[in-house]
Amino acid sequence: MKLPSFFIAHGSPLLALEDNEYTRFLERLGQELEAPRGIVVFSAHWDSPEQLLTIDEKHETQHDFYGFPEEMYTLTYPAPGDPALTKRISELFKGNNLSHQPVLGRGLDHGVWVILKKMFPKADIPVVALSVDSLRSPKEQYNIGRMLAPLRDEGILLIGSGGLVHNLRMLNESDQPEEWALEFDAWIAKGLESWDVPSLFAYEKKAPHVRDAVPSYGREHFAPLFYAMGTADGSRKAERIFQAYQYGTLSLNCWKLD
């Protein structure tokens, strides 16, 4: 069973409580996918210069946010870990000479559990979380994802969780998207659909409105796209299967990479 990979926007942590078009899409997506043997998530909320990965047998739930309704802090996603899958990932990294370190007891951050709680609410599928390095070049990020491509043939679902337009300092009260956000997403979509890797790797110089869409303090949310793309390097097919916006400048999108 070969599974597709995905880039999934995790938006606001409030998605865990909300019932809207995007949360219903995530629920359907989880139901429509063949049940994976395990799930591997590159999370924007684990930014590290060294490649890290969880090795827990059972995960705690991180509430790594503040200022939200009290109910948010009672939500849990007690998915099991999979030390054997962690070992398999470590072998793939080692075979490609990538320095990495398993981490015990970290738990799942909201970049991981918010989307999985919608997609797989039973929390019964093993999860391994991986860090990203927002300071690596897009090519390096892509190549790390490519190291894990064999897992797709082993029943493992690979996800990059972040946000393509993610500027929390420019949010507004309307869900009507700003024109510059639409233009940036359209430029990214064109590059993905044609798998124009050279242009996408140079997005910081070529993409319109890039300083607004991917501010210097928020690059970690864009990085998971390249990790996810790398996992699909063999086929190089991308399809946007959902697009919406919250607060005018928070892009909620899902790209299927198959």
Side-chain angles (χ1 to χ4, degrees), residues 164-205:
L164 299 187
V165 179
H166 192 91
N167 190 333
L168 300 184
R169 297 179 187 176
M170 298 184 71
L171 303 182
N172 58 49
E173 295 181 0
S174 171
D175 288 343
Q176 184 66 31
E178 298 285 349
E179 189 62 33
W180 62 261
L182 291 170
E183 290 179 14
F184 178 83
D185 265 331
W187 187 92
I188 295 296
K190 182 179 179 181
L192 279 167
E193 289 165 353
S194 61
W195 211 269
D196 184 358
V197 172
S199 291
L200 288 171
F201 284 178
Y203 79 96
E204 289 188 285
K205 294 182 179 179

Side-chain angles (χ1 to χ4, degrees), residues 79-133:
D82 188 342
L85 178 55
T86 297
K87 182 179 178 182
R88 172 69 173 129
I89 295 169
S90 181
E91 290 170 349
L92 292 170
F93 284 158
K94 192 177 298 182
N96 287 277
N97 299 311
L98 178 67
S99 176
H100 61 283
Q101 182 65 46
V103 175
L104 184 66
R106 181 180 186 274
L108 300 179
D109 62 60
H110 78 270
V112 179
W113 69 261
V114 165
I115 59 173
L116 294 186
K117 193 170 182 66
K118 292 297 183 181
M119 294 174 68
F120 306 105
K122 293 181 180 179
D124 56 354
I125 301 172
V127 178
V128 176
L130 279 74
S131 65
V132 300
D133 182 358

